[in-house]
Amino acid sequence: MTRALTILGIETSCDETAAAVLRYEEGRVTLLADIIRTQLEEHAPYRGVVPEIAARAHAELADLTVAAAMQAAGISYDALDGVAATAGPGLIGGVLVGLMTGKAVAQAAGVPFIPVNHLEGHALSPRLSADCPFPYLLLLVSGGHCQFLEVRGLGDYRRLGSTIDDAVGEAFDKVAKLMGLGFPGGPAVERLAAAGNPKAYDFPRPLLNRPGLEMSFAGLKSAVARVAASAQTEGQKADICASFQAAICDVLAEKSRRALAAFDTGADDKRFVVAGGVAANKAIRAALERAAEENGARLIAPPLRHCTDNAAMIALAGAERLAAGLVGGADGLDAGSRPRWPLDEASALSTPIYGGGHKGAKA
Ligand code: KG4
Ligand code: ZN
């Protein structure tokens, strides 16, 4: 029997200031508080996340959000066994705010600080609420990331393939921007797509005919840009959104089929997890569900709240690391921030990241 751990988690790598408290015992998770303060309103006028505005907002909100989470959990700082915060990848200003806040709380409470890779948070997010033992295949699709990862165990990840240019969420955001649909683009494009004809435009399915798991979405976005300029009516816009979304679904489903075929665990039940903000998209989920079924796998999608950026997943990564004795030197206090931080450093070195994203490394 290992003892129960109570962990505070902090997430500030993009445009959500979030703090969560959870209790972790023998792999079981009880969420005591889970606060997410989004900065959507601050960034909306610019139709995208502005790093300086994000950093300032995090600086104003971080300690208040931590205090609110501790109050909601109904525990004192003495009851904490550790504090975890995102140390990267992400926008450096926000990451620094979360990291310093986390270290300060950890030091004041006299407990270890656990620096967490944001991508590890996403990778472990299904374990917050589902029975999802290692290993499993993960498709991470968000505004900054688009990659297939084999999650073999805690801290043991193998990147199977990733985008070579834009992340999927980024493509949704850019298409929405082209058509004046507001920010964030994903939900707006999905809403409009529901009223459109997915076959109206024959948009490219980049890299679909090439073997492997690399993906590309920049060309698709350019193809949309060529027709979006002349779209006059709501009907035309809906057709563009539906056709764009259909192209994304086709690419993700086909690459998922290949990834599932390559992910051979030898066991009968394969788990396929989709996480990240784009996992909110119902058409994409349905396409992935079919791909999973065809390959004898079970699709697991965390609840929406834990698909997008949140601190519960950071607290969980912290708890699993602490339970496994994986805390850095000086009780974590010497951890630095890493704006770029691939989960699978070996693959990142042998196949380097292609280009930067608006939220850091995509691979
Ligand atoms: O995981 P997330 O909250 O933040 C990142 O770490 O990037 O993901 C946000 C991204 C945005 O690009 C947003 O447009 C996209 O997820 N998104 C969607 C949907 N909801 C959010 N994309 C497609 N369809 C949606 N329903
Ligand atoms: Zn994220």
Side-chain angles (χ1 to χ4, degrees):
M1 268 280 281
T2 49
R3 74 189 167 106
L5 297 173
T6 304
I7 306 290
L8 166 69
I10 302 170
E11 159 58 36
T12 54
S13 67
C14 189
D15 56 346
E16 265 94 27
T17 314
V21 181
L22 60 73
R23 193 159 285 151
Y24 179 83
E25 188 173 18
E26 305 274 317
R28 277 194 320 277
V29 177
T30 312
L31 258 183
L32 304 180
D34 186 13
I35 294 183
I36 304 172
R37 293 185 171 173
T38 174
Q39 304 169 4
L40 275 185
E41 273 178 29
E42 282 96 322
H43 299 289
Y46 307 94
R47 292 185 284 172
V49 177
V50 183
E52 290 74 14
I53 293 177
R56 191 173 293 264
H58 286 305
E60 280 166 11
L61 284 174
D63 54 350
L64 298 174
T65 311
V66 165
M70 292 300 290
Q71 195 179 15
I75 59 163
S76 70
Y77 288 87
D78 300 345
L80 291 175
D81 295 295
V83 180
T86 297
L91 298 173
I92 186 70
V95 170
L96 277 171
V97 170
L99 199 67
M100 298 316 288
T101 307
K103 285 183 182 179
V105 175
Q107 209 164 15
V111 295
F113 173 73
I114 310 123
V116 170
N117 183 316
H118 178 81
L119 300 176
E120 178 165 79
H122 277 302
L124 300 180
S125 62
R127 295 161 66 85
L128 280 168
S129 46
D131 176 27
C132 190
F134 302 124
Y136 48 89
L137 177 71
L138 171 78
L139 170 60
L140 177 56
V141 272
S142 70
H145 307 282
C146 179
Q147 55 186 294
F148 286 100
L149 279 172
E150 209 176 288
V151 182
R152 299 160 157 180
L154 180 67
D156 186 3
Y157 311 97
R158 191 162 74 97
R159 195 185 73 197
L160 300 176
S162 60
T163 181
I164 59 168
D165 42 54
D166 289 351
V168 192
E170 197 175 356
F172 268 94
D173 292 337
K174 285 180 179 171
V175 163
K177 199 169 182 174
L178 281 170
M179 296 204 288
L181 298 181
F183 174 81
V189 171
E190 182 177 20
R191 223 172 295 125
L192 207 51
N197 173 7
K199 295 202 165 85
Y201 295 89
D202 187 18
F203 290 136
R205 270 72 172 152
L207 301 188
L208 198 60
N209 297 325
R210 291 241 214 110
L213 295 172
E214 305 285 71
M215 292 165 277
S216 160
F217 300 102
L220 172 58
K221 179 206 63 195
S222 306
V224 171
R226 280 193 286 280
V227 295
S230 57
Q232 306 285 343
T233 65
E234 280 301 294
Q236 281 169 324
K237 284 188 180 179
D239 285 348
I240 292 174
C241 287
S243 303
F244 162 76
Q245 191 173 273
I248 299 266
C249 285
D250 283 355
V251 172
L252 291 180
E254 175 55 25
K255 298 285 172 170
S256 296
R257 278 186 206 102
R258 288 183 205 169
L260 281 160
F263 175 63
D264 189 7
T265 58
D268 319 334
D269 64 329
K270 271 201 243 188
R271 288 163 294 281
F272 178 32
V273 174
V274 57
V278 181
N281 187 289
K282 293 197 186 65
I284 292 175
R285 272 197 198 209
L288 298 179
E289 191 93 52
R290 281 194 297 278
E293 242 169 57
E294 285 165 27
N295 285 277
R298 177 163 63 96
L299 183 74
I300 300 175
L304 213 52
R305 184 175 178 79
H306 294 144
C307 267
T308 51
D309 287 351
N310 65 86
M313 67 184 191
I314 304 301
L316 175 61
E320 294 211 20
R321 284 194 162 261
L322 190 59
L326 294 173
V327 180
D331 261 1
L333 290 177
D334 58 357
S337 57
R338 297 183 61 178
R340 296 193 169 242
W341 186 3
L343 254 191
D344 174 358
E345 312 236 12
S347 299
L349 284 175
S350 58
T351 8
I353 297 150
Y354 308 74
H358 67 300
K359 291 176 186 168
K362 288 165 184 158

